[in-house]
Amino acid sequence: MSTIAPDQIRFDELHAGLQRLAARFGGHAYDLHRHETYGIGLTLRGVQAFHYRGARTASRAGQVIVLHPDEAHDGHAGVADGFAYRMLYIDPAAISAALGDVPPPFVPDAVAADPALAAVLH
């Protein structure tokens, strides 16, 4: 008998340039695609593996993810038990406005250990 929960994905309504997603997957999650927004997320359980900027990378439980607009990525479980995560999709204009109308920052590493951001995303 498998202990892996069925795949599940939930999007909240878009509000003020933000959209929230909560999901869990036991294997293949999604094919290569792009977003017009930043994707800022937290891996809650397991290992989320994905291809991004020409490399395979992985986010483990407690790590945060920052994906830039228009950057192709895919996703799949990096461990047999799958993974669960939350994401915020944020309009780049909203980030610029929040920073005082300057261009949004470039985040070089897609995955990081950032306890303060993880707490906000949780």
Side-chain angles (χ1 to χ4, degrees):
M1 184 160 103
S2 174
T3 61
I4 299 173
D7 291 352
Q8 182 180 46
I9 188 165
R10 184 190 80 231
F11 282 97
D12 290 343
E13 292 295 320
L14 180 65
H15 180 72
L18 297 170
Q19 187 170 40
R20 295 185 308 176
L21 168 140
R24 68 175 178 237
F25 294 99
H28 174 79
Y30 40 86
D31 293 329
L32 193 65
H33 67 285
R34 302 169 190 266
H35 300 275
E36 294 178 359
T37 60
Y38 278 86
I40 302 174
L42 172 65
T43 302
L44 300 169
R45 179 180 57 77
V47 177
Q48 181 176 188
F50 56 98
H51 293 91
Y52 183 70
R53 295 186 182 148
R56 185 177 187 272
T57 191
S59 174
R60 289 162 177 69
Q63 291 184 305
V64 297
I65 301 168
V66 176
L67 304 176
H68 284 262
D70 205 34
E71 293 273 2
H73 59 283
D74 61 5
H76 58 278
V79 294
D81 288 342
F83 68 100
Y85 69 107
R86 291 184 182 157
M87 292 292 281
L88 280 176
Y89 296 101
I90 307 171
D91 185 318
I95 293 175
S96 290
L99 295 174
D101 295 319
V102 299
F106 176 76
V107 179
D109 297 320
V111 177
D114 186 328
L117 182 54
V120 169
L121 293 167
H122 200 277

